[in-house]
Amino acid sequence: MKLATLKNARRDGRLVVVSRDLAKAVDAAPVAATMREAIENWSAAEPGLQKLYDALNAGQARDAFAFDPGQAMAPLPRSHQFVDASAFLNHGDIMERAYNLTVKKTPGVAVLVPRQGDDFRGPRDDYEFPAEADQCDFEGEFAVITDDVPMGATPAEALGHVRLVTILNDVSMRGHLFRELQMGFGLVQAKPATIFAPVAVTPDELGDAWKDGRVHLDMKVSRNGEWFGHPNGREMDFGFGEMIAHIAYNRRLGAGFVLGSGTVSNKGYEQVGSACLAERRAIETLAHGEARTGFLKFGEQLRFEVLDGAGQSVFGAIEVRFVPFERKSAA
């Protein structure tokens, strides 16, 4: 099943069911008005949403309309809790080797960073940031959304609470990163609002590509229309089930919990490229003694997309343009 949230001038938008080919949609209001309502009442909402999805794909849904990703918000426009991981150890290894970093790690535990969940961005909205000196970067990631996860859930149990899968662009401001890391408490200005794909899908929609809490598909990334990379999600060193269980060790996780995978990164980066500017710059530093690829400038465009084995877009594409922030005058 594929779900999206469309703009309607309200914070949580309106929930729609989207066809498998992303061409059509139908309003989900008879079952759940918003994604928040659906995810908080999943066991009750899922059968009705599935019925709408089946009818839509069969061409039998009443009041179906053309799906426009340009009208999409993030599938879950806001969350009580968003945690981002660094589950691809290859990414960290490249960064550590390039910059002689020493990172304290706990064996068997992914690096996990609490993030803001009040300002998720849609897939086609212009992305404002204050200054090019902030060193704007991107990170292509997979992400999951859960329903309620009980404290003490095992990895297998935790994985059973993953209701939706999507992709995101974890925008990073590298000009603030090391300063905030050295302060020791967390990332604020280095990690602004996150951009999500137009559609989130139930795990069964991924078929054989959903294995061991990982998405075994390529993350296709382009910058200004040029290929940047297509690393595969299968090389995650920690599956989503393992990470959710770790977070839920001594607390409950509320419905709508969002967990990002961290930058998708593969050992064969010479062939598959990267999903992150910092990683490419680190690779260049290792190869040439200096970074040769610049950070994002105003006016640049990025695209992130994942295709299934038949070449069909799974989540729809993130297509975003980066623009200068303009302060709005008070009314």
Side-chain angles (χ1 to χ4, degrees):
M1 178 166 44
K2 299 191 175 188
L3 302 173
T5 295
L6 298 184
K7 300 172 183 177
N8 67 350
R10 296 182 178 180
R11 292 178 187 269
D12 293 313
R14 68 181 179 113
L15 181 65
V16 297
V17 178
V18 183
S19 61
R20 182 167 288 113
D21 63 3
L22 306 181
K24 296 287 185 179
V26 64
D27 196 275
V31 180
T34 66
M35 183 69 86
R36 166 64 59 192
E37 181 182 341
I39 203 71
E40 290 184 346
N41 303 279
W42 189 258
S43 61
E46 190 273 339
L49 294 173
Q50 184 66 51
K51 186 176 180 180
L52 285 173
Y53 185 60
D54 293 340
L56 185 60
N57 286 320
Q60 299 172 352
R62 296 180 58 186
D63 300 320
F65 55 90
F67 176 61
D68 179 7
Q71 291 301 307
M73 304 170 72
L76 181 64
R78 52 181 176 160
S79 172
H80 297 302
Q81 185 169 203
F82 169 35
V83 172
D84 199 25
S86 184
F88 292 84
L89 295 182
N90 182 69
H91 174 72
D93 178 65
I94 291 171
M95 303 298 288
E96 290 166 31
R97 288 191 290 120
Y99 302 116
N100 296 314
L101 302 176
T102 300
V103 179
K104 294 181 180 179
K105 300 175 184 175
T106 300
V109 179
V111 175
L112 297 163
V113 182
R115 297 286 307 283
Q116 57 81 13
D118 59 339
D119 188 21
F120 292 159
R121 302 293 177 87
R124 299 290 195 276
D125 298 333
D126 284 349
Y127 193 97
E128 295 181 316
F129 68 101
E132 291 177 346
D134 290 336
Q135 299 180 347
C136 186
D137 194 357
F138 55 86
E139 298 184 49
E141 304 186 16
F142 292 99
V144 298
I145 304 171
T146 75
D147 62 2
D148 291 307
V149 181
M151 185 171 77
T154 67
E157 291 167 344
L159 196 59
H161 288 278
V162 170
R163 299 308 181 194
L164 296 167
V165 184
T166 190
I167 60 172
L168 60 83
N169 171 14
D170 179 32
V171 179
S172 300
M173 299 297 171
R174 301 295 177 184
H176 302 283
L177 182 65
F178 288 110
R179 169 179 56 82
E180 292 190 331
L181 284 174
Q182 289 169 353
M183 293 172 70
F185 258 37
L187 303 175
V188 179
Q189 291 184 339
K191 291 291 186 177
T194 303
I195 306 167
F196 285 78
V199 169
V201 311
T202 49
D204 63 286
E205 198 70 27
L206 296 168
D208 292 341
W210 179 248
K211 301 176 185 177
D212 302 320
R214 297 163 173 82
V215 181
H216 292 238
L217 294 171
D218 290 348
M219 170 78 68
K220 296 180 177 294
V221 183
S222 63
R223 180 183 187 183
N224 301 319
E226 296 184 358
W227 174 87
F228 197 89
H230 61 271
N232 194 286
R234 62 175 170 263
E235 289 191 27
M236 274 178 72
D237 291 272
F238 306 93
F240 281 111
E242 298 170 78
M243 293 189 289
I244 295 168
H246 177 78
I247 299 167
Y249 167 72
N250 57 1
R251 59 182 167 129
R252 297 169 294 180
L253 305 180
F257 169 66
V258 180
L259 176 61
S261 68
T263 303
V264 182
S265 179
N266 291 173
K267 293 180 176 64
Y269 53 79
E270 295 92 345
Q271 291 76 40
V272 304
S274 300
C276 167
L277 268 174
E279 181 172 300
R280 175 179 279 192
R281 287 170 57 86
I283 292 168
E284 292 170 343
T285 298
L286 289 170
H288 311 293
E290 63 178 0
R292 297 180 175 180
T293 300
F295 291 105
L296 292 174
K297 303 293 186 183
F298 294 135
E300 292 204 61
Q301 295 181 316
L302 295 175
R303 180 184 174 93
F304 302 79
E305 190 170 26
V306 173
L307 306 181
D308 63 18
Q312 169 65 46
S313 182
V314 179
F315 311 102
I318 296 171
E319 295 184 45
V320 64
R321 183 172 64 112
F322 289 80
V323 299
F325 169 68
E326 296 183 5
R327 186 183 299 275
K328 308 295 190 297
S329 58

